[in-house]
Amino acid sequence: MDNMIIGGVRIYFPTGNYLPSPSSDMRTFAVVNYKLPGYVLLEFKGNGWVPTIKKIFAEAAFAISAAVKLTKYEWK
C-alpha cells in the first residue's frame, strides 16, 4: 500500500478493501476509490476510519488537496 506525507499529513492510497491501522503520531487520511466512480477521503480516528468530507472527488489530487487544507492551521 502506497502512502506519502504532504504538509505534515500522512495519506494512504489503499488498493482493494484493506485499510491499515496507523499510529497516532500524525493526522492520517486515506484516498479511496474501491468500486466508486471517484475518490472519497477518510480519516483515521483512534477507533477506525471515518468519512471526512461528504463528497466524491473526481480526481485523487482534489482529495489530497482537501486533506492538506483540513490541517493547514495545525502546522504553523
Side-chain angles (χ1 to χ4, degrees), residues 1-73:
M1 173 177 312
D2 293 331
N3 72 85
M4 65 174 62
I5 297 173
I6 302 173
V9 177
R10 178 179 288 122
I11 302 173
Y12 284 99
F13 302 94
T15 56
N17 59 0
Y18 171 77
L19 289 168
S21 294
S23 65
S24 61
D25 61 341
M26 69 175 55
R27 203 160 172 189
T28 303
F29 295 91
V31 175
V32 180
N33 92 335
Y34 180 69
K35 295 185 179 181
L36 295 172
Y39 299 85
V40 293
L41 184 64
L42 305 177
E43 182 174 3
F44 188 76
K45 301 272 189 177
N47 296 331
W49 292 95
V50 295
T52 302
I53 298 174
K54 294 180 181 182
K55 179 179 181 176
I56 295 178
F57 297 93
E59 301 286 334
F62 297 134
I64 294 167
S65 177
V68 173
K69 285 179 184 175
L70 285 171
T71 59
K72 71 180 180 179
Y73 296 111

